[in-house]
Amino acid sequence: MVSISDDSQLMASWQQVLAPHNLGYRIKLLSQLLTRKFTEKLEPFGLTPFHWLVLCCLWQDDGLPTSSIGDKLQQVGGTLTGVIDRMEERGLVRRERDIKDRRIWRIWLTDAGRKLQDILPPLAVELREEAMQGIADSDRELFSQILNQAIANIS
């Protein structure tokens, strides 16, 4: 027979894995809060956080194949295709067939997509600073490294 004392000890040992105290729940909560705030910042531009991610990929390496964008963002093709469709309709990107392999579609920024590079990153910096307020630069770097390692461990 399990005693109440044993139950209390068991629950205490589980404290770090039970919501709302567990790491996964807190990371999910942080992600949801950041997404909500960033969505508000992007709304005046008619963009979503997913549009931001695609733009970031293209600002770093314009003309990527759709599959490379999907790989970088770990997204399935159907979801990404719809996002790129909407971005193309808005005049932010254009699709072109690869000249060496016609099966491949490359995604290129338009002038409108390039202009957002001057406007949107400062909004992301502003949100990052809000979220990391009161956290030392060295702790921010450590936090980033820990997240990267945890992602690599589970991937």
Side-chain angles (χ1 to χ4, degrees), residues 28-150:
K28 179 183 175 199
L29 179 59
L30 177 61
S31 174
Q32 289 174 327
L33 291 169
L34 287 170
T35 299
R36 185 179 307 145
K37 291 266 190 178
F38 200 46
T39 298
E40 290 171 7
K41 289 182 180 293
L42 293 172
E43 193 173 351
F45 303 95
L47 300 173
T48 68
F50 203 166
H51 294 132
W52 157 258
L53 294 172
V54 172
L55 287 169
C56 286
C57 287
L58 296 173
W59 290 331
Q60 294 171 45
D61 192 8
D62 201 9
L64 285 172
T66 306
S67 60
S68 294
I69 296 170
D71 291 345
K72 284 180 181 246
L73 301 178
Q74 297 183 342
Q75 293 293 318
V76 293
T79 303
L80 181 59
T81 300
V83 169
I84 292 173
D85 285 346
R86 287 184 291 286
M87 292 178 76
E88 190 173 32
E89 289 167 6
R90 300 251 344 271
L92 300 174
V93 299
R94 71 179 193 283
R95 286 184 175 101
E96 289 182 14
R97 292 250 187 217
D98 186 283
I99 56 174
K100 295 179 184 170
D101 186 343
R102 302 224 1 106
R103 296 171 297 172
I104 297 172
W105 285 96
R106 291 193 173 272
I107 310 302
W108 297 90
L109 290 165
T110 62
D111 288 341
R114 270 189 224 87
K115 286 178 185 172
L116 289 173
Q117 188 173 6
D118 295 329
I119 300 166
L120 299 182
L123 298 177
V125 168
E126 186 179 288
L127 180 56
R128 181 194 65 205
E129 291 306 311
E130 182 181 343
M132 295 296 180
Q133 190 175 356
I135 300 172
D137 288 344
S138 59
D139 290 338
R140 292 177 186 198
E141 181 58 33
L142 179 60
F143 180 59
S144 181
Q145 290 171 5
I146 291 168
L147 286 176
N148 287 341
Q149 185 62 54

